[in-house]
Amino acid sequence: MNIREKFDLLGIDNAPGQESLQKNMALDLRGEKLEGAAVDFSHGDVDAHKPTPGSLGVFVEGFLEGGPQAYTPYRGKKDILESVAADLAAFTGAPIDPASEIILTPGTQGALFLAMGANIMPGDRVAIVEPDYFANRKMVEFFGGEMVPVRMDYRSAETGSGIDLPALEKAFADGVKLFLFSNPNNPVGCIYSPEETAAIAKLAKKHDVTLIVDELYSRQVYPGVIHTHLRSLEEVPDSLITIMGPSKTESLSGYRLGAAFGTAEIIERMEKLQAIMALRCSGYNQAVFKTWFHEPEGWMAARVAEHKRIRDDILGVIDAVPGVSARPTDGGSYLFVEIPELEVSLHQFIRIVRELAGVTLTPGTEFGPQFLHQFRINFSQDHDNAVAAMRRVFEIMDRYRK
Amino acid sequence: MNIREKFDLLGIDNAPGQESLQKNMALDLRGEKLEGAAVDFSHGDVDAHKPTPGSLGVFVEGFLEGGPQAYTPYRGKKDILESVAADLAAFTGAPIDPASEIILTPGTQGALFLAMGANIMPGDRVAIVEPDYFANRKMVEFFGGEMVPVRMDYRSAETGSGIDLPALEKAFADGVKLFLFSNPNNPVGCIYSPEETAAIAKLAKKHDVTLIVDELYSRQVYPGVIHTHLRSLEEVPDSLITIMGPSKTESLSGYRLGAAFGTAEIIERMEKLQAIMALRCSGYNQAVFKTWFHEPEGWMAARVAEHKRIRDDILGVIDAVPGVSARPTDGGSYLFVEIPELEVSLHQFIRIVRELAGVTLTPGTEFGPQFLHQFRINFSQDHDNAVAAMRRVFEIMDRYRK
């Protein structure tokens, strides 16, 4: 394999946020455009759901602090590491040594990349879930790992994720070294049950598998659902990294802030990789971590409630359309919507919807090659615009039904 | 090689900025501590040389713009790419297509990492200069390349860098695929002569070698020296990436801003890698690029003049000490200082100086294993403190002379 072939595997034309750069393709456009406010469901709308109050003020204070905030050690500034470690330890239910068990990164994407790069040698077997976050498979490919997909039957699971635990155990027994999964899951929004989480931890310990648990959305859990932080369990594997950040629920994505915490030996390797990747999470931006877990009283609960209302009303739209379904989100801002067979391909349909309805969707194939009848939406949008946009999507869809 | 062995190669204990984390070692401390303001020569002091006027205001405007500034395409926001491309094209003397030939990155370190990752396959031969930027060799190691060091005899060169061009040609003829070098050089501060630059471009074209030219310091060139942008030459190789950013002379390092520009096919691969590495240069921070090349009139000239004065006065201190020397900097803020044989090792000496004189230096071994009698300083510091600190360094040194 040469470098061109290697990067051909890393296609990003359909990645969320890249749609404006897509090349023209001939589209089978049927009927008139539908009027309405354009909605980009590929990521959350930080204008509809504003960044945590005070983030800009804290950034400005960081800037004014000058040198020590501009040039921090690669892992992050000492006082910020201490404060974030204490908050994350309290939230996730297990201690974190700020001197050895945490690193601040350029977004949670940076944390994931460092964690994967610090664990994968070419040829290593790496298990990932299907469907799961679209970059997971690309990171495995980039670092030369051998991907072992594990199915998650989220459709038939009444609670939990529906991960195929026997398949996971077989993969572990067959020599998988690393298992990465998101909880809450992206794109489905399901949350692993306490039993599933415990089973994963136990299997990893038994087979000496390193775990990377992406808990980016774990502060946004809807009523009646229990989210279990794997790291809080009694029985955990020796090598365990958890990843979080304030980019989603807190709408601080424009600052690129992430954190990885867990096994000291892995954090040390991640620090070495960060030293050559980007040196550090942007210095001034690190100050914004001070707002994390310190939002005004009631702010977080209100934000979760707002998102539940949007979720429920979009599910109402979905339920009214024959042949369309989505599992209600347990946590986070995603819905993975299943549509019937159409007279155009999924990718064509998604471009048609953009053209005729002004709505941006992410194709299911970003989350696993078999998801040819699904698209993902991030419903962290203006409520009324989002509901109206979903109505337009299905009105367009009806023009292409088989 | 397993993952632990791989990362053992990437030591960062002596890397600039990491000194505060060094473990204790028994030191042969001789005599009293010397009083004086602590100076950290491992990086520039952005309190002594403030960030470009207006950077914070532009950042705040970016934040207030909201969504479109928070979530940009992976390469960067369109209007910012257009403006930065135009300024860089004018500065470097060759056109840049903003749609296909430039990417904004988390700092120039991010740009270097992406450029290296987008070009190196395991086993590829990669030429680097010795001495050169300490991360260069580590990136080659991380991506599994085979390093081919090329000597730069900066000591005997009256002008230019003193790069060993016959050795470079031999390396290219022997199958090197990629050559990375910094110009102005880090750590020496020498600038490649127009003839050397043209020779490198010609050799790369002849042998089909990809070039990555790190011109981070090319806006800070001292009077009487000519800096040639390799990309402005008539004869350049088909694959060429130039890297710059406002982190150094402009003191904007706390924002982590970098840019890479050149061959469209490589930029496309870098974009794919950025998509899984950190998604994008922090969205709000990208707004700060608007200040770059638009500094107040006279500001840049004054900044260069200030640095020349610090350089000259530190060279005055160095020249007065027997057995110590440094080549005058052509461009940038570094001096690579050669010291005589001491009764302690270089690494011990550097820790002793930190302890007894409150001065942080970077050991020459970060720039090549053979530089056992050199240390690097970044003299972008408060003038008086820097000059006094260098006096203390040599006063301590005299206690350890053989």
Side-chain angles (χ1 to χ4, degrees):
Chain A
M1 186 161 65
N2 66 30
I3 196 85
R4 286 188 188 85
E5 291 161 351
K6 173 172 175 171
F7 276 81
D8 283 346
L9 294 174
L10 298 177
I12 53 168
D13 286 355
N14 299 298
Q18 291 292 97
E19 297 81 2
S20 66
L21 307 175
Q22 284 169 349
K23 316 287 182 296
N24 287 331
M25 69 192 282
L27 293 177
D28 171 13
L29 296 175
R30 303 182 188 174
E32 294 301 302
K33 287 193 184 186
L34 300 181
E35 295 301 312
V39 172
D40 182 351
F41 282 116
S42 74
H43 58 73
D45 180 350
V46 298
D47 297 329
H49 304 278
K50 299 276 186 201
T52 312
S55 74
L56 182 61
V58 172
F59 178 93
V60 171
E61 282 169 26
F63 176 84
L64 296 175
E65 193 178 330
Q69 189 71 56
Y71 282 95
T72 76
Y74 301 147
R75 290 183 189 205
K77 194 156 175 274
K78 188 163 179 278
D79 60 330
I80 294 171
L81 284 169
E82 286 167 353
S83 131
V84 172
D87 292 330
L88 285 171
F91 179 68
T92 62
I96 301 167
D97 176 359
S100 65
E101 295 180 334
I102 183 167
I103 184 170
L104 306 179
T105 60
T108 48
Q109 182 65 54
L112 280 170
F113 186 81
L114 293 174
M116 297 289 270
N119 280 297
I120 301 174
M121 286 296 282
D124 280 356
R125 288 192 181 180
V126 181
I128 61 160
V129 174
E130 283 183 350
D132 207 328
Y133 177 50
F134 69 97
N136 292 1
R137 62 174 49 240
K138 294 176 189 175
M139 289 186 288
V140 177
E141 278 160 357
F142 179 75
F143 290 116
E146 187 192 320
M147 193 157 45
V148 181
V150 175
R151 193 167 161 247
M152 185 182 89
D153 190 6
Y154 63 93
R155 276 169 288 208
S156 56
E158 292 203 4
T159 58
S161 69
I163 187 172
D164 187 340
L165 286 171
L168 188 71
E169 171 145 37
K170 184 170 183 314
F172 285 8
D174 285 352
V176 157
K177 291 195 166 176
L178 177 68
F179 176 47
L180 161 66
F181 70 107
S182 59
N183 184 23
N185 171 271
N186 173 356
V188 174
C190 56
I191 288 179
Y192 290 72
S193 68
E195 296 74 24
E196 287 174 334
T197 310
I200 292 167
K202 199 171 171 176
L203 288 175
K205 189 169 179 61
K206 179 177 168 193
H207 294 281
D208 200 21
V209 171
T210 298
L211 290 184
I212 303 174
V213 190
D214 170 2
E215 299 194 350
L216 181 51
Y217 263 121
S218 59
R219 297 186 77 196
Q220 188 176 323
V221 174
Y222 299 114
V225 184
I226 297 169
H227 179 280
T228 307
H229 298 286
L230 189 144
R231 65 189 306 275
S232 72
L233 300 174
E234 270 189 34
E235 196 170 15
V236 297
D238 293 337
S239 297
L240 169 61
I241 294 291
T242 305
I243 285 166
M244 283 188 68
S247 289
K248 298 290 187 181
T249 312
E250 303 84 350
S251 293
L252 298 175
S253 185
Y255 292 103
R256 302 268 76 217
L257 305 174
F261 43 105
T263 310
E265 188 188 321
I266 300 176
I267 297 290
E268 191 177 329
R269 292 203 297 270
M270 292 171 70
E271 175 189 35
K272 288 180 171 184
L273 182 49
Q274 176 132 294
I276 59 171
M277 180 188 93
L279 291 177
R280 62 182 69 80
C281 173
S282 306
Y284 302 141
N285 302 40
Q286 286 181 35
V288 178
F289 276 111
K290 292 178 186 170
T291 65
W292 201 24
F293 292 98
H294 299 274
E295 298 83 8
E297 201 172 327
W299 185 88
M300 203 63 179
R303 176 141 293 191
V304 175
E306 277 169 65
H307 282 78
K308 181 176 180 302
R309 184 169 80 95
I310 302 168
R311 178 199 74 169
D312 291 346
D313 291 351
I314 289 180
L315 282 170
V317 173
I318 288 172
D319 286 345
V321 185
V324 175
S325 62
R327 183 175 152 172
T329 320
D330 292 333
S333 298
Y334 296 119
L335 281 166
F336 202 46
V337 182
E338 187 157 344
I339 56 173
E341 187 76 28
L342 302 177
E343 288 174 358
V344 289
S345 75
L346 176 71
H347 284 230
Q348 284 170 326
F349 172 65
I350 279 173
R351 292 194 188 197
I352 288 167
V353 164
R354 231 180 136 231
E355 188 68 25
L356 293 183
V359 179
T360 305
L361 310 169
T362 304
T365 48
E366 287 289 301
F367 309 96
Q370 67 273 52
F371 300 105
L372 286 163
H373 296 91
Q374 282 86 357
F375 60 79
R376 185 194 76 174
I377 63 167
N378 182 322
F379 60 76
S380 184
Q381 309 288 343
D382 173 84
H383 172 278
D384 296 357
N385 287 347
V387 171
M390 288 304 285
R391 289 211 177 91
R392 295 204 301 282
V393 168
F394 297 122
E395 188 177 334
I396 301 289
M397 191 189 78
D398 279 337
R399 301 177 187 171
Y400 296 87
R401 273 187 193 268
K402 266 206 171 155
Chain B
M1 187 162 63
N2 66 30
I3 195 85
R4 286 188 189 86
E5 291 160 350
K6 174 172 175 171
F7 276 80
D8 282 345
L9 295 173
L10 299 177
I12 52 169
D13 285 354
N14 299 300
Q18 291 291 99
E19 297 80 2
S20 66
L21 307 175
Q22 284 168 348
K23 314 286 183 296
N24 287 332
M25 69 192 281
L27 293 178
D28 171 13
L29 296 176
R30 303 183 188 172
E32 295 300 302
K33 288 194 182 186
L34 299 181
E35 296 301 312
V39 171
D40 182 351
F41 282 117
S42 73
H43 57 74
D45 180 351
V46 298
D47 297 328
H49 304 278
K50 299 276 186 200
T52 311
S55 75
L56 183 60
V58 172
F59 179 93
V60 171
E61 283 169 25
F63 176 84
L64 296 175
E65 193 178 329
Q69 189 70 57
Y71 281 97
T72 76
Y74 301 147
R75 289 184 191 206
K77 193 155 176 272
K78 188 164 180 279
D79 60 330
I80 295 171
L81 284 169
E82 286 167 356
S83 130
V84 172
D87 292 329
L88 285 171
F91 179 69
T92 62
I96 300 167
D97 176 359
S100 64
E101 295 179 336
I102 183 167
I103 184 169
L104 307 180
T105 59
T108 48
Q109 182 65 56
L112 279 171
F113 186 82
L114 292 173
M116 297 290 270
N119 280 298
I120 302 174
M121 287 295 283
D124 280 357
R125 288 192 183 181
V126 181
I128 61 161
V129 174
E130 283 183 350
D132 207 328
Y133 177 49
F134 69 96
N136 292 1
R137 59 175 49 238
K138 294 177 189 174
M139 290 186 288
V140 177
E141 279 160 358
F142 180 75
F143 290 117
E146 187 191 320
M147 193 156 47
V148 181
V150 175
R151 194 168 161 246
M152 185 181 89
D153 191 5
Y154 63 94
R155 278 169 285 206
S156 55
E158 291 205 3
T159 58
S161 69
I163 186 170
D164 186 342
L165 285 169
L168 188 71
E169 171 145 37
K170 183 168 185 312
F172 285 8
D174 286 352
V176 157
K177 292 194 165 174
L178 178 67
F179 175 46
L180 161 65
F181 70 106
S182 58
N183 184 22
N185 172 271
N186 173 355
V188 174
C190 57
I191 288 179
Y192 290 72
S193 70
E195 295 73 25
E196 287 174 333
T197 310
I200 292 168
K202 199 172 171 176
L203 288 176
K205 188 168 178 66
K206 179 179 168 193
H207 294 282
D208 200 20
V209 170
T210 298
L211 290 185
I212 303 175
V213 190
D214 171 1
E215 299 193 351
L216 180 52
Y217 263 120
S218 59
R219 297 186 77 196
Q220 188 176 322
V221 174
Y222 298 114
V225 184
I226 297 170
H227 178 279
T228 307
H229 298 286
L230 189 145
R231 66 188 305 274
S232 72
L233 299 174
E234 271 189 33
E235 195 170 17
V236 297
D238 294 337
S239 297
L240 169 62
I241 294 292
T242 305
I243 285 167
M244 282 189 68
S247 289
K248 298 290 186 181
T249 312
E250 302 83 350
S251 294
L252 298 175
S253 185
Y255 293 104
R256 302 268 75 217
L257 305 173
F261 43 106
T263 310
E265 188 188 319
I266 300 176
I267 298 289
E268 191 177 329
R269 294 204 296 270
M270 291 172 70
E271 175 190 32
K272 288 180 171 183
L273 182 49
Q274 175 132 297
I276 59 172
M277 181 187 94
L279 292 176
R280 61 182 69 81
C281 174
S282 306
Y284 302 141
N285 303 40
Q286 286 180 35
V288 177
F289 276 112
K290 292 177 186 171
T291 65
W292 200 24
F293 291 98
H294 298 274
E295 297 83 10
E297 202 172 324
W299 185 87
M300 202 62 175
R303 175 141 294 191
V304 175
E306 277 168 65
H307 282 77
K308 181 175 179 304
R309 184 169 80 95
I310 302 168
R311 179 199 71 168
D312 291 346
D313 291 350
I314 289 180
L315 282 170
V317 172
I318 288 171
D319 286 345
V321 185
V324 175
S325 62
R327 185 176 150 170
T329 320
D330 292 334
S333 298
Y334 296 120
L335 280 167
F336 202 46
V337 182
E338 188 159 341
I339 57 174
E341 187 77 26
L342 303 178
E343 288 174 357
V344 290
S345 74
L346 177 69
H347 284 230
Q348 284 170 326
F349 173 65
I350 280 173
R351 294 193 187 196
I352 288 166
V353 164
R354 226 175 142 236
E355 188 67 25
L356 293 183
V359 178
T360 305
L361 310 170
T362 303
T365 48
E366 288 290 300
F367 310 96
Q370 68 273 52
F371 300 105
L372 287 162
H373 295 92
Q374 282 85 357
F375 60 81
R376 186 194 75 175
I377 63 166
N378 182 322
F379 60 77
S380 184
Q381 310 289 342
D382 173 83
H383 172 279
D384 295 356
N385 288 347
V387 172
M390 289 303 286
R391 289 210 177 94
R392 294 204 300 281
V393 167
F394 297 122
E395 188 177 336
I396 300 290
M397 191 189 77
D398 278 337
R399 302 178 187 171
Y400 297 87
R401 274 188 192 267
K402 265 201 173 161

